[in-house]
């Protein structure tokens, strides 16, 4: 049967005091009148992890901010050496204030970078609002419904977006690598072209030499025949 609310229990006690017949549920409420009318604490399902294991989970994700909850659940054993789910890991981290968020991708900002950016923001914060209206800010977001989007999440607390261990460092070294690859490809192409030209020249020289030798022998035979005659 459905559980009575605290208001219904007080109402049942009022009906009981008014002299109405006693029913089993109201009788039990009357027996508990001297203790409390509210629900007593229940044992419930035991936690799958101990407090020490909860602290270890938080410590692991603080040391490795990009560790996923699924990987952590596979590496961690709960109470009585039982497996724990990824949702359990998320709940424990959420209790400690850690949330899985998209990391900031960019260079790690030093104190000098932060100071320069603050000066730039103060400089343009006082600019004319009409000038700011001509600036268009755009952003794009993608939403995956049927599968994971493959993005890496970082476990961090609120306000720690630009903390060094919460940032996926990204520099412009990739452009330099592309330039190096392009230069190497160009050099290889040039070398191949030079080799092909050399081979063609050698082939022409060899063919010309063969023709000259043939002409020489023909001329020698003709002179020899003329001398015999």
């Amino acid at each position: 049967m459905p559980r009575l609310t605290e208001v219904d229990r007080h109402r049942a006690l009022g009906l009981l005091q008014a002299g109405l017949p006693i029913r089993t549920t109201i009788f039990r409420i009357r027996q508990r009148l001297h203790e409390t009318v509210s629900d007593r604490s229940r044992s419930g399902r035991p936690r799958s992890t101990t407090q020490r294991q909860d602290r270890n989970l938080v410590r692991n994700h603080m040391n490795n901010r990009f560790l996923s909850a699924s990987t952590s659940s596979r590496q961690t054993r709960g109470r009585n050496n039982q497996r724990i789910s990824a949702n359990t890991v998320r709940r424990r981290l959420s209790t400690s204030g850690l949330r899985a968020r998209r990391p900031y991708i960019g260079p790690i900002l030093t104190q000098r970078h932060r100071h320069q950016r603050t000066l730039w923001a103060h400089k343009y914060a006082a600019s004319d609002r009409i000038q700011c209206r001509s600036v268009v800010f755009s952003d794009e977001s993608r939403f995956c419904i049927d599968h994971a989007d493959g993005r890496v999440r970082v476990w961090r607390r609120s306000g720690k977006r630009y903390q060094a261990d919460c940032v996926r460092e990204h520099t412009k070294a990739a452009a330099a690598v592309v330039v190096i690859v392009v230069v190497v490809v160009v050099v290889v192409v040039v070398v191949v072209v030079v080799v092909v030209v050399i081979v063609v020249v050698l082939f022409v020289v060899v063919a010309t030499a063969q023709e000259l030798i043939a002409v020489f022998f023909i001329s020698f035979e003709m002179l020899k025949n003329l001398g015999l005659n």
Side-chain angles (χ1 to χ4, degrees):
M1 68 179 290
R3 185 180 302 170
L4 295 177
T5 63
E6 188 171 350
V7 176
D8 293 335
R9 294 167 188 170
H10 285 287
R11 186 179 302 170
L13 290 176
L15 295 177
L16 179 63
Q17 294 175 358
L20 295 179
I22 300 177
R23 300 186 62 180
T24 305
T25 304
I26 301 178
F27 181 75
R28 288 199 300 267
I29 295 175
R30 183 181 181 183
Q31 288 180 335
R32 293 174 51 186
L33 178 63
H34 299 288
E35 300 177 7
T36 178
V37 182
S38 303
D39 286 335
R40 297 176 181 176
S41 59
R42 294 175 172 83
S43 60
R45 181 179 178 181
R47 290 169 57 91
S48 58
T49 57
T50 61
Q51 294 183 356
R52 181 177 180 180
Q53 291 169 341
D54 295 343
R55 292 193 298 268
N56 290 333
L57 284 174
V58 175
R59 187 182 304 111
N60 292 337
H61 283 269
M62 291 293 290
N63 294 332
N64 185 4
R65 298 282 187 158
F66 298 94
L67 182 64
S68 64
S70 301
T71 303
S72 184
S73 65
R74 291 192 297 267
Q75 297 175 353
T76 306
R77 290 290 178 175
R79 194 190 300 268
N80 299 326
N81 200 27
Q82 62 180 355
R83 298 184 60 181
I84 61 176
S85 65
N87 290 331
T88 300
V89 176
R90 295 187 185 98
R91 286 194 297 269
R92 301 297 184 267
L93 297 177
S94 177
T95 303
S96 64
L98 295 176
R99 300 288 191 277
R101 306 176 187 272
R102 288 186 301 173
Y104 165 75
I105 301 177
I108 297 179
L109 301 179
T110 62
Q111 191 64 30
R112 176 176 173 273
H113 295 155
R114 298 175 188 272
H115 179 67
Q116 294 294 333
R117 291 193 175 193
T118 303
L119 293 179
W120 182 89
H122 285 302
K123 176 182 177 181
Y124 289 96
S127 61
D128 191 2
R129 292 188 176 182
I130 299 178
Q131 180 182 357
C132 295
R133 291 176 183 176
S134 61
V135 180
V136 177
F137 297 93
S138 62
D139 191 12
E140 295 181 359
S141 299
R142 59 179 181 177
F143 302 91
C144 297
I145 300 177
D146 298 329
H147 60 280
D149 56 4
R151 288 179 176 175
V152 178
R153 298 296 192 274
V154 58
W155 290 94
R156 64 175 177 83
R157 293 186 172 92
S158 179
K160 303 295 184 181
R161 175 178 174 83
Y162 300 104
Q163 188 172 323
D165 55 352
C166 298
V167 174
R168 290 189 64 187
E169 187 174 5
H170 174 70
T171 60
K172 296 183 179 180
V177 173
V178 173
V179 172
I180 294 174
V181 171
V182 171
V183 172
V184 171
V185 171
V186 171
V187 171
V188 171
V189 171
V190 172
V191 171
V192 171
V193 171
V194 172
V195 171
V196 171
V197 171
I198 294 174
V199 171
V200 171
V201 171
L202 290 177
F203 179 78
V204 172
V205 170
V206 171
T208 304
Q210 289 179 351
E211 291 179 358
L212 293 175
I213 293 172
V215 170
F216 175 77
F217 278 109
I218 293 173
S219 301
F220 180 76
E221 291 293 335
M222 292 177 63
L223 292 175
K224 184 177 179 181
N225 293 332
L226 291 175
L228 292 177
N229 294 332

